mmCIF file of all heavy atoms in Angstrom:
data_model
loop_
_atom_site.group_PDB
_atom_site.id
_atom_site.type_symbol
_atom_site.label_atom_id
_atom_site.label_comp_id
_atom_site.label_asym_id
_atom_site.label_seq_id
_atom_site.Cartn_x
_atom_site.Cartn_y
_atom_site.Cartn_z
ATOM 1 N N ASP A 1 0.814 -1.213 0.000
ATOM 2 C CA ASP A 1 0.000 0.000 0.000
ATOM 3 C C ASP A 1 0.849 1.266 0.000
ATOM 4 O O ASP A 1 0.314 2.380 0.048
ATOM 5 C CB ASP A 1 -0.915 0.019 1.235
ATOM 6 C CG ASP A 1 -1.933 -1.113 1.198
ATOM 7 O OD1 ASP A 1 -2.274 -1.543 0.074
ATOM 8 O OD2 ASP A 1 -2.356 -1.559 2.276
ATOM 9 N N GLU A 2 2.175 1.121 -0.043
ATOM 10 C CA GLU A 2 3.030 2.300 0.008
ATOM 11 C C GLU A 2 2.769 3.214 -1.190
ATOM 12 O O GLU A 2 2.582 2.745 -2.316
ATOM 13 C CB GLU A 2 4.520 1.915 -0.002
ATOM 14 C CG GLU A 2 4.943 1.100 1.219
ATOM 15 C CD GLU A 2 5.012 -0.381 0.900
ATOM 16 O OE1 GLU A 2 4.249 -0.839 0.021
ATOM 17 O OE2 GLU A 2 5.842 -1.055 1.511
ATOM 18 N N GLN A 3 2.750 4.496 -0.918
ATOM 19 C CA GLN A 3 2.559 5.479 -1.968
ATOM 20 C C GLN A 3 3.908 6.078 -2.363
ATOM 21 O O GLN A 3 4.654 6.565 -1.509
ATOM 22 C CB GLN A 3 1.628 6.608 -1.490
ATOM 23 C CG GLN A 3 0.195 6.178 -1.205
ATOM 24 C CD GLN A 3 -0.522 5.729 -2.460
ATOM 25 O OE1 GLN A 3 -0.421 6.371 -3.500
ATOM 26 N NE2 GLN A 3 -1.258 4.622 -2.361
ATOM 27 N N LEU A 4 4.227 5.985 -3.637
ATOM 28 C CA LEU A 4 5.455 6.616 -4.112
ATOM 29 C C LEU A 4 5.291 8.133 -4.069
ATOM 30 O O LEU A 4 4.292 8.669 -4.548
ATOM 31 C CB LEU A 4 5.758 6.178 -5.543
ATOM 32 C CG LEU A 4 6.134 4.699 -5.730
ATOM 33 C CD1 LEU A 4 6.228 4.374 -7.207
ATOM 34 C CD2 LEU A 4 7.453 4.389 -5.030
ATOM 35 N N GLN A 5 6.278 8.793 -3.506
ATOM 36 C CA GLN A 5 6.231 10.249 -3.415
ATOM 37 C C GLN A 5 7.082 10.841 -4.548
ATOM 38 O O GLN A 5 8.309 10.880 -4.464
ATOM 39 C CB GLN A 5 6.736 10.719 -2.048
ATOM 40 C CG GLN A 5 5.845 10.275 -0.893
ATOM 41 C CD GLN A 5 6.304 10.839 0.442
ATOM 42 O OE1 GLN A 5 7.011 11.839 0.495
ATOM 43 N NE2 GLN A 5 5.911 10.184 1.527
ATOM 44 N N ILE A 6 6.389 11.267 -5.609
ATOM 45 C CA ILE A 6 7.058 11.808 -6.786
ATOM 46 C C ILE A 6 6.527 13.226 -7.024
ATOM 47 O O ILE A 6 5.317 13.457 -6.965
ATOM 48 C CB ILE A 6 6.799 10.931 -8.019
ATOM 49 C CG1 ILE A 6 7.290 9.504 -7.765
ATOM 50 C CG2 ILE A 6 7.502 11.509 -9.247
ATOM 51 C CD1 ILE A 6 6.880 8.519 -8.848
ATOM 52 N N GLN A 7 7.434 14.125 -7.290
ATOM 53 C CA GLN A 7 7.046 15.513 -7.507
ATOM 54 C C GLN A 7 7.962 16.129 -8.565
ATOM 55 O O GLN A 7 9.006 15.575 -8.893
ATOM 56 C CB GLN A 7 7.163 16.313 -6.206
ATOM 57 C CG GLN A 7 8.573 16.295 -5.623
ATOM 58 C CD GLN A 7 8.614 16.595 -4.138
ATOM 59 O OE1 GLN A 7 7.641 16.352 -3.420
ATOM 60 N NE2 GLN A 7 9.727 17.132 -3.677
ATOM 61 N N LYS A 8 7.533 17.261 -9.107
ATOM 62 C CA LYS A 8 8.400 17.958 -10.053
ATOM 63 C C LYS A 8 9.628 18.495 -9.310
ATOM 64 O O LYS A 8 9.511 18.984 -8.191
ATOM 65 C CB LYS A 8 7.650 19.103 -10.735
ATOM 66 C CG LYS A 8 6.609 18.620 -11.734
ATOM 67 C CD LYS A 8 5.980 19.772 -12.496
ATOM 68 C CE LYS A 8 5.000 19.252 -13.539
ATOM 69 N NZ LYS A 8 4.361 20.361 -14.293
ATOM 70 N N THR A 9 10.769 18.378 -9.943
ATOM 71 C CA THR A 9 12.016 18.818 -9.316
ATOM 72 C C THR A 9 11.996 20.329 -9.100
ATOM 73 O O THR A 9 11.578 21.083 -9.987
ATOM 74 C CB THR A 9 13.220 18.446 -10.199
ATOM 75 O OG1 THR A 9 13.199 17.043 -10.431
ATOM 76 C CG2 THR A 9 14.531 18.834 -9.535
ATOM 77 N N ARG A 10 12.436 20.745 -7.937
ATOM 78 C CA ARG A 10 12.485 22.175 -7.641
ATOM 79 C C ARG A 10 13.459 22.875 -8.581
ATOM 80 O O ARG A 10 14.453 22.300 -9.030
ATOM 81 C CB ARG A 10 12.897 22.386 -6.180
ATOM 82 C CG ARG A 10 11.806 21.961 -5.192
ATOM 83 C CD ARG A 10 12.316 21.838 -3.771
ATOM 84 N NE ARG A 10 12.924 23.085 -3.296
ATOM 85 C CZ ARG A 10 13.414 23.237 -2.061
ATOM 86 N NH1 ARG A 10 13.385 22.209 -1.205
ATOM 87 N NH2 ARG A 10 13.937 24.385 -1.701
ATOM 88 N N LYS A 11 13.181 24.144 -8.868
ATOM 89 C CA LYS A 11 13.922 24.876 -9.890
ATOM 90 C C LYS A 11 15.412 24.994 -9.589
ATOM 91 O O LYS A 11 16.225 25.086 -10.505
ATOM 92 C CB LYS A 11 13.319 26.273 -10.060
ATOM 93 C CG LYS A 11 11.929 26.259 -10.670
ATOM 94 C CD LYS A 11 11.377 27.662 -10.845
ATOM 95 C CE LYS A 11 9.984 27.632 -11.465
ATOM 96 N NZ LYS A 11 9.429 28.999 -11.622
ATOM 97 N N GLU A 12 15.765 25.006 -8.309
ATOM 98 C CA GLU A 12 17.183 25.193 -7.974
ATOM 99 C C GLU A 12 18.014 23.928 -8.157
ATOM 100 O O GLU A 12 19.241 23.954 -8.003
ATOM 101 C CB GLU A 12 17.337 25.715 -6.539
ATOM 102 C CG GLU A 12 16.750 24.821 -5.462
ATOM 103 C CD GLU A 12 15.333 25.204 -5.067
ATOM 104 O OE1 GLU A 12 14.570 25.635 -5.970
ATOM 105 O OE2 GLU A 12 15.001 25.088 -3.880
ATOM 106 N N PHE A 13 17.357 22.808 -8.488
ATOM 107 C CA PHE A 13 18.088 21.554 -8.691
ATOM 108 C C PHE A 13 17.940 21.076 -10.130
ATOM 109 O O PHE A 13 16.963 21.396 -10.808
ATOM 110 C CB PHE A 13 17.581 20.471 -7.738
ATOM 111 C CG PHE A 13 17.734 20.829 -6.283
ATOM 112 C CD1 PHE A 13 16.618 20.993 -5.476
ATOM 113 C CD2 PHE A 13 18.989 21.018 -5.726
ATOM 114 C CE1 PHE A 13 16.749 21.336 -4.140
ATOM 115 C CE2 PHE A 13 19.125 21.364 -4.389
ATOM 116 C CZ PHE A 13 18.008 21.520 -3.592
ATOM 117 N N GLU A 14 18.898 20.300 -10.583
ATOM 118 C CA GLU A 14 18.850 19.741 -11.924
ATOM 119 C C GLU A 14 17.946 18.512 -11.936
ATOM 120 O O GLU A 14 18.021 17.657 -11.059
ATOM 121 C CB GLU A 14 20.261 19.350 -12.384
ATOM 122 C CG GLU A 14 20.309 18.824 -13.808
ATOM 123 C CD GLU A 14 21.710 18.453 -14.254
ATOM 124 O OE1 GLU A 14 22.659 18.715 -13.474
ATOM 125 O OE2 GLU A 14 21.860 17.890 -15.350
ATOM 126 N N GLY A 15 17.082 18.429 -12.936
ATOM 127 C CA GLY A 15 16.184 17.288 -13.052
ATOM 128 C C GLY A 15 14.791 17.710 -13.447
ATOM 129 O O GLY A 15 14.449 18.900 -13.453
ATOM 130 N N ASP A 16 13.967 16.716 -13.786
ATOM 131 C CA ASP A 16 12.580 16.978 -14.179
ATOM 132 C C ASP A 16 11.591 16.517 -13.104
ATOM 133 O O ASP A 16 10.618 17.210 -12.806
ATOM 134 C CB ASP A 16 12.274 16.273 -15.501
ATOM 135 C CG ASP A 16 13.138 16.798 -16.640
ATOM 136 O OD1 ASP A 16 13.142 18.025 -16.871
ATOM 137 O OD2 ASP A 16 13.824 15.994 -17.294
ATOM 138 N N TYR A 17 11.865 15.307 -12.556
ATOM 139 C CA TYR A 17 10.991 14.760 -11.512
ATOM 140 C C TYR A 17 11.861 14.203 -10.383
ATOM 141 O O TYR A 17 12.977 13.721 -10.614
ATOM 142 C CB TYR A 17 10.075 13.676 -12.069
ATOM 143 C CG TYR A 17 8.977 14.242 -12.942
ATOM 144 C CD1 TYR A 17 9.180 14.432 -14.302
ATOM 145 C CD2 TYR A 17 7.750 14.616 -12.395
ATOM 146 C CE1 TYR A 17 8.192 14.982 -15.104
ATOM 147 C CE2 TYR A 17 6.760 15.160 -13.192
ATOM 148 C CZ TYR A 17 6.987 15.347 -14.539
ATOM 149 O OH TYR A 17 6.011 15.899 -15.319
ATOM 150 N N THR A 18 11.314 14.271 -9.166
ATOM 151 C CA THR A 18 12.065 13.866 -7.977
ATOM 152 C C THR A 18 11.305 12.791 -7.213
ATOM 153 O O THR A 18 10.102 12.937 -6.942
ATOM 154 C CB THR A 18 12.304 15.074 -7.053
ATOM 155 O OG1 THR A 18 13.099 16.032 -7.755
ATOM 156 C CG2 THR A 18 13.019 14.658 -5.776
ATOM 157 N N LEU A 19 12.026 11.721 -6.867
ATOM 158 C CA LEU A 19 11.484 10.661 -6.013
ATOM 159 C C LEU A 19 12.010 10.849 -4.606
ATOM 160 O O LEU A 19 13.222 10.962 -4.386
ATOM 161 C CB LEU A 19 11.898 9.286 -6.538
ATOM 162 C CG LEU A 19 11.596 8.096 -5.613
ATOM 163 C CD1 LEU A 19 10.089 7.884 -5.476
ATOM 164 C CD2 LEU A 19 12.285 6.836 -6.120
ATOM 165 N N VAL A 20 11.093 10.883 -3.640
ATOM 166 C CA VAL A 20 11.484 10.951 -2.231
ATOM 167 C C VAL A 20 11.673 9.515 -1.742
ATOM 168 O O VAL A 20 10.723 8.721 -1.753
ATOM 169 C CB VAL A 20 10.405 11.669 -1.397
ATOM 170 C CG1 VAL A 20 10.839 11.760 0.066
ATOM 171 C CG2 VAL A 20 10.127 13.067 -1.964
ATOM 172 N N THR A 21 12.891 9.185 -1.325
ATOM 173 C CA THR A 21 13.202 7.773 -1.035
ATOM 174 C C THR A 21 12.975 7.364 0.419
ATOM 175 O O THR A 21 13.003 6.174 0.723
ATOM 176 C CB THR A 21 14.667 7.469 -1.398
ATOM 177 O OG1 THR A 21 15.530 8.266 -0.573
ATOM 178 C CG2 THR A 21 14.939 7.752 -2.859
ATOM 179 N N PHE A 22 12.752 8.290 1.306
ATOM 180 C CA PHE A 22 12.648 7.945 2.733
ATOM 181 C C PHE A 22 11.593 6.865 3.025
ATOM 182 O O PHE A 22 11.844 5.963 3.838
ATOM 183 C CB PHE A 22 12.366 9.208 3.560
ATOM 184 C CG PHE A 22 13.463 10.234 3.479
ATOM 185 C CD1 PHE A 22 13.323 11.372 2.701
ATOM 186 C CD2 PHE A 22 14.660 10.036 4.169
ATOM 187 C CE1 PHE A 22 14.344 12.304 2.609
ATOM 188 C CE2 PHE A 22 15.689 10.966 4.083
ATOM 189 C CZ PHE A 22 15.537 12.100 3.298
ATOM 190 N N PRO A 23 10.410 6.907 2.366
ATOM 191 C CA PRO A 23 9.431 5.849 2.646
ATOM 192 C C PRO A 23 9.874 4.462 2.180
ATOM 193 O O PRO A 23 9.248 3.459 2.554
ATOM 194 C CB PRO A 23 8.190 6.315 1.863
ATOM 195 C CG PRO A 23 8.367 7.781 1.657
ATOM 196 C CD PRO A 23 9.840 7.964 1.494
ATOM 197 N N LEU A 24 10.945 4.377 1.376
ATOM 198 C CA LEU A 24 11.392 3.095 0.826
ATOM 199 C C LEU A 24 12.535 2.472 1.627
ATOM 200 O O LEU A 24 12.986 1.364 1.303
ATOM 201 C CB LEU A 24 11.851 3.282 -0.631
ATOM 202 C CG LEU A 24 10.792 3.845 -1.595
ATOM 203 C CD1 LEU A 24 11.426 4.126 -2.947
ATOM 204 C CD2 LEU A 24 9.631 2.867 -1.736
ATOM 205 N N LEU A 25 13.026 3.151 2.668
ATOM 206 C CA LEU A 25 14.212 2.674 3.388
ATOM 207 C C LEU A 25 13.946 1.363 4.112
ATOM 208 O O LEU A 25 14.854 0.526 4.277
ATOM 209 C CB LEU A 25 14.681 3.741 4.381
ATOM 210 C CG LEU A 25 15.037 5.118 3.772
ATOM 211 C CD1 LEU A 25 15.589 6.048 4.835
ATOM 212 C CD2 LEU A 25 16.025 4.970 2.618
ATOM 213 N N ARG A 26 12.697 1.170 4.534
ATOM 214 C CA ARG A 26 12.356 -0.083 5.223
ATOM 215 C C ARG A 26 12.568 -1.271 4.304
ATOM 216 O O ARG A 26 12.917 -2.362 4.743
ATOM 217 C CB ARG A 26 10.888 -0.004 5.689
ATOM 218 C CG ARG A 26 10.403 -1.237 6.440
ATOM 219 C CD ARG A 26 9.010 -0.986 7.022
ATOM 220 N NE ARG A 26 8.056 -0.667 5.975
ATOM 221 C CZ ARG A 26 7.381 -1.583 5.280
ATOM 222 N NH1 ARG A 26 7.615 -2.868 5.499
ATOM 223 N NH2 ARG A 26 6.496 -1.221 4.373
ATOM 224 N N ARG A 27 12.373 -1.075 2.998
ATOM 225 C CA ARG A 27 12.549 -2.152 2.035
ATOM 226 C C ARG A 27 14.001 -2.268 1.566
ATOM 227 O O ARG A 27 14.527 -3.364 1.401
ATOM 228 C CB ARG A 27 11.634 -1.933 0.828
ATOM 229 C CG ARG A 27 10.149 -2.149 1.159
ATOM 230 C CD ARG A 27 9.299 -1.869 -0.073
ATOM 231 N NE ARG A 27 7.916 -2.311 0.138
ATOM 232 C CZ ARG A 27 7.485 -3.553 -0.066
ATOM 233 N NH1 ARG A 27 8.327 -4.478 -0.473
ATOM 234 N NH2 ARG A 27 6.224 -3.878 0.162
ATOM 235 N N SER A 28 14.638 -1.125 1.317
ATOM 236 C CA SER A 28 16.008 -1.179 0.788
ATOM 237 C C SER A 28 17.039 -1.542 1.851
ATOM 238 O O SER A 28 18.098 -2.100 1.533
ATOM 239 C CB SER A 28 16.376 0.178 0.185
ATOM 240 O OG SER A 28 16.527 1.159 1.203
ATOM 241 N N ARG A 29 16.748 -1.209 3.129
ATOM 242 C CA ARG A 29 17.662 -1.425 4.250
ATOM 243 C C ARG A 29 19.008 -0.751 3.995
ATOM 244 O O ARG A 29 20.074 -1.254 4.351
ATOM 245 C CB ARG A 29 17.854 -2.920 4.517
ATOM 246 C CG ARG A 29 16.552 -3.647 4.842
ATOM 247 C CD ARG A 29 16.784 -5.090 5.198
ATOM 248 N NE ARG A 29 15.532 -5.776 5.449
ATOM 249 C CZ ARG A 29 14.874 -5.727 6.609
ATOM 250 N NH1 ARG A 29 15.360 -5.022 7.614
ATOM 251 N NH2 ARG A 29 13.735 -6.408 6.763
#
C-alpha cells in the first residue's frame, strides 16, 4: 500500500521529476 512520493524537481536543482526515497528505506535497508 506504500505510496510513491514523486514531484516535479524544484527549480534550484537539476532534473525533471524527484522521487522521495525515505518511505522506501524499510525495504532497501
Side-chain angles (χ1 to χ4, degrees):
D1 295 333
E2 297 100 330
Q3 294 294 316
L4 293 173
Q5 295 184 21
I6 301 171
Q7 59 202 26
K8 288 186 177 180
T9 304
R10 290 166 57 178
K11 292 181 180 179
E12 59 265 36
F13 300 116
E14 183 179 354
D16 297 306
Y17 287 88
T18 297
L19 170 67
V20 181
T21 63
F22 298 104
L24 301 174
L25 302 184
R26 181 172 59 86
R27 289 178 169 275
S28 70
R29 301 184 182 278

